[in-house]
Structures are given as C-alpha cells and as structure tokens.
Amino acid sequence: MAKTSWIVRSERPQKYKVREYNRCKVCGRSRGYMRKFGMCRICFREHALKGMIPGVVKSSW
C-alpha cells in the first residue's frame, strides 16, 4: 500500500505534463501498472483469480 501523501500528490495537477505518472486505482502502487485495467500487476492478479475482471481467465496450454 502506497503512502497516502504520495497518492494525493500524484492526483494534483503537475507543473509539467512530463511529471505525471500512473498509480493503481486499488492500492496506489506506481510500479507494474497496467494501463488497460488501471491497476498494478498484484491487484490485477488478485481480482482476476476472484473473477472480478470480466473476460480474463487463467491460461493453460
């Protein structure tokens, strides 16, 4: 879980557009972010295994 101050700071408009970065909507993590789902890899896996993300299934071949 990210510090609340970091989450709030990333939501504010930045002085320069280049400084903006993505954070997970669930936990606030900045690394391992997946744009398509708007969450980090850890939260993505938890939600996918619980079946909370429609259309995502565990692959096997």
Side-chain angles (χ1 to χ4, degrees):
M1 194 78 177
K3 287 176 76 173
T4 309
S5 60
W6 292 346
I7 296 169
V8 171
R9 186 184 299 167
S10 69
E11 291 173 353
R12 288 188 308 201
Q14 297 295 323
K15 188 173 182 179
Y16 303 104
K17 186 164 177 51
V18 185
R19 292 185 183 174
E20 293 177 0
Y21 56 95
N22 299 316
R23 284 196 172 270
C24 176
K25 304 293 186 255
V26 181
C27 66
R29 184 180 166 89
S30 62
R31 297 182 180 207
Y33 180 82
M34 303 170 103
R35 283 186 185 179
K36 186 174 181 180
F37 301 100
M39 60 181 73
C40 67
R41 59 182 176 82
I42 299 166
C43 293
F44 173 78
R45 181 173 176 159
E46 290 174 359
H47 282 72
L49 290 175
K50 292 178 186 174
M52 297 172 70
I53 304 174
V56 176
V57 291
K58 187 174 179 184
S59 64
S60 63
W61 60 90

